[in-house]
Amino acid sequence: NEQVEGGKCWRCGNPVVKKNLKQWFFKITEYADEMLEATDSLDWTEMVRTMQKNWIGKSQGAEIDFTVDGSAETITVFTTRPDTIFGATLLVLAPEHPMAKNLADDNTREAVEAYINEAARKSEIERMNESREKTGVFTGSYAVNPANGQKVPIWIADYVLATYGTGAIMAVPAHDERDFAFAEKFDLPIVDVIEKPEDDEEAGLYHGEGVLVNSGAFDGMRSEDAREEVVSWLEEQGVGRTKVTYKMRDWLISRQRYWGA
């Protein structure tokens, strides 16, 4: 047991003591692929089968390492669209990310800590509400995009969840709805790296497939063909790797004191 530093009960004012509690997990993530493959053969409605697949939430993509400018530290992001890395104009960390507070400087520390504390009071459902206006705070630090060597600002925003991927994303505003809304709100750069079809009338945003532009040696390639090529190139540089993630988590079961499970 340990006393939480500065922690007091909101009701009685006594010091708060954190007690270590035994917990058990069913490691259902070991069966994610097996469950996913079996879903189509289940005698369920299409809606329920879709819900099951979304709950498992398999995503195939890549982990990419961004070096923090002026430091030996790196931030690893997970993305399903490594082909758009040349359009990554900022990194966004979940408020719970272990590096979130450490990236703040003297000018931003107060705002960063206030934002992290505010985010802790919001539910995951509230944070994932697509209609909610985006919020965030600049840490004062920058990272280096490994694809083009450009410095990109590191932000903290509650639309990124610590429970998905690495808790950090490379934001590509030109080709992702949430990143686009965030960049527009805070007047951040938006760089097109996929040619937009002529019949697409949505201003400033395109999230489909197409021909790569502003992407160095990959210009002219189809985005769906370039994904593996980009990951292989990043692997050669030691800054990327293929990765599969799942939204599903192991099932935690615990009881206070010694009720058992």
Side-chain angles (χ1 to χ4, degrees), residues 158-175:
D158 62 9
Y159 79 91
V160 178
L161 301 178
T163 54
Y164 180 70
T166 64
I169 66 167
M170 62 174 207
V172 185
H175 306 291

Side-chain angles (χ1 to χ4, degrees), residues 92-150:
V92 187
L93 276 57
E96 302 86 357
H97 193 283
M99 291 181 65
K101 289 185 178 180
N102 298 336
L103 292 166
D105 58 27
D106 291 341
N107 296 322
T108 64
R109 185 163 290 107
E110 185 176 344
V112 165
E113 291 182 355
Y115 185 82
I116 291 173
N117 292 335
E118 180 185 352
R121 294 193 286 269
K122 297 177 182 176
S123 70
E124 188 171 304
I125 293 175
E126 183 182 357
R127 287 168 58 174
M128 292 300 291
N129 185 349
E130 295 292 341
S131 62
R132 184 174 65 91
E133 186 177 7
K134 295 292 182 287
T135 64
V137 63
F138 175 49
T139 63
S141 295
Y142 292 81
V144 178
N145 186 327
N148 53 22
Q150 292 184 358

Side-chain angles (χ1 to χ4, degrees), residues 46 56 88 92-93 103 159 196 213 219 227 230 242 253-254 261:
E46 183 61 33
I56 295 170
V92 187
L93 276 57
L103 292 166
Y159 79 91
K196 190 175 179 181
V213 294
D219 279 357
R227 272 197 269 285
V230 170
T242 299
I253 51 174
S254 64

Side-chain angles (χ1 to χ4, degrees), residues 27-81:
K27 197 165 179 57
I28 58 175
T29 50
E30 289 291 317
Y31 306 95
D33 285 324
E34 185 178 347
M35 292 168 65
L36 195 58
E37 291 170 8
T39 298
D40 286 328
S41 61
L42 294 172
D43 187 21
W44 294 350
T45 65
E46 183 61 33
M47 182 183 72
V48 176
R49 286 198 294 267
T50 299
M51 289 172 62
Q52 167 90 338
K53 291 177 182 179
N54 291 341
W55 171 68
I56 295 170
K58 182 176 181 178
S59 297
Q60 187 152 355
E63 282 186 345
I64 303 172
D65 301 325
F66 285 69
T67 302
V68 177
D69 187 48
S71 166
E73 297 281 350
T74 60
I75 297 173
T76 301
V77 306
F78 172 76
T79 177
T80 58
R81 296 295 304 270

Side-chain angles (χ1 to χ4, degrees), residues 82-98:
D83 51 297
T84 64
I85 187 171
F86 286 86
T89 55
L90 66 151
L91 294 191
V92 187
L93 276 57
E96 302 86 357
H97 193 283

